[in-house]
Amino acid sequence: MKQKAKVYLVGAGPGDPDLLTVKAHRLLREADLVLHDDLVASAILTLARGAQVENVGKRCGAKKITQDEINARMIEAAQRGLCVVRLKSGDPGIFGRLSEEIDALETAGVPYEVVPGVTAGIAAAASLGISLTDRRKSARVVIVTGHKAHGGQPDGKIDWKNLAREDATLVIYMPGHEFENLREELLAAGLASEIPAVIVSHASTAEQRHQFTTIGDLGSLPHLEPPAILLIGRALEGADTRSRAAAVSQAIECAE
Ligand code: SAH
């Protein structure tokens, strides 16, 4: 049955269309209007064949779209009886301004539903054969952003002394590309300099690149093309050689 007059807040996953949920795929085919962020891959947008597709990413074109304008667009379309898919990269609840949009929809009395997606940190870990909760080394996963606008503290600073623990795997979204400060902060928080770290760019896509290092050498990490994510922790130990072995066997498979 075709869906109507509702806003679906949908996760598009990290980029590979095969990582969309079946539900996200179905909704894209049934939607009247798709409002998507900059990071959503074009291979995914082409699945929305019957819909009007609009980029409402904060960086789209010359015109800057505000959060209020995005909210107003969703509400107005749903009130006209359209089935709206608000498509966000990864999972809509991870650094995706989901709560602001839900607040606006509730205030306007518009029905909505959240459809989760594969978040970038999980996709990056999977691609390198890393378990973020490897029970021999990691008792917790810390999802955090290096971007001030999303930081937990009023001054935008991250409380590394509390977050960075020897038994935690850190998953850092929007890490920027200057890691010298981070190195200092993590060492000051008491982490050992030999703890491994990896930066993964374009996780799950054909453009995926990664670079392993250690906390002590974070300052010399090369600048990989965004979007990129940084994983740090003992759960990554051995992943460097494992992912090299996987890359070699993939190359052999492809050559066959
Ligand atoms: N909601 C998204 C995150 C949005 S914030 C999710 O759950 O994945 C945007 C940040 O996500 C980027 O700056 C980058 O740090 C990360 N990111 C998104 N897609 C990525 C990808 N394919 N590879 C690596 N990092 C990615």
Side-chain angles (χ1 to χ4, degrees), residues 146-158:
H147 197 287
K148 286 197 174 65
H150 295 269
Q153 300 201 115
D155 61 359
K157 285 221 166 107
I158 297 165

Side-chain angles (χ1 to χ4, degrees), residues 134 136-140 160-170 186-187 189-196 215 232-235 237:
D134 183 333
R136 296 161 300 183
K137 293 162 185 168
S138 164
R140 65 200 85 226
W160 289 116
K161 286 224 155 53
N162 273 319
L163 294 179
R165 299 169 47 157
E166 194 81 18
D167 65 353
T169 309
L170 305 175
L186 296 180
L187 293 175
L191 292 189
S193 71
E194 83 272 6
I195 290 177
I215 290 180
I232 300 176
R234 293 214 180 267
E237 280 169 352

Side-chain angles (χ1 to χ4, degrees), residues 7-14 16-28 44 85-94 98 102 112-120 122:
V7 174
Y8 292 88
L9 301 146
V10 178
D16 177 357
D18 280 355
L19 292 178
L20 270 178
T21 61
V22 174
K23 187 163 187 173
H25 191 182
R26 175 172 64 75
L27 289 169
L28 282 175
I44 288 171
V85 167
R86 172 73 179 102
L87 193 61
K88 294 162 181 283
S89 74
D91 181 89
I94 302 289
L98 177 69
I102 286 179
Y112 66 89
E113 188 178 327
V114 180
V115 180
V118 177
T119 189
I122 301 291

Side-chain angles (χ1 to χ4, degrees), residues 14 118-130 132 198 200 203-204 208 229 231:
V118 177
T119 189
I122 301 291
S127 73
L128 301 175
I130 293 164
L132 298 176
V198 65
V200 186
S204 87
Q208 177 167 329
I229 192 157
L231 310 182

Side-chain angles (χ1 to χ4, degrees), residues 121 124 142 144 170-176 179 182 186 197-200 211 213 218 221 228-232 236:
V142 176
V144 65
L170 305 175
V171 182
I172 308 177
Y173 288 72
M174 298 174 262
F179 303 122
L182 179 62
L186 296 180
V198 65
I199 185 142
V200 186
Q211 179 73 48
T213 186
L218 268 177
L221 256 187
I229 192 157
L230 191 58
L231 310 182
I232 300 176
L236 277 60

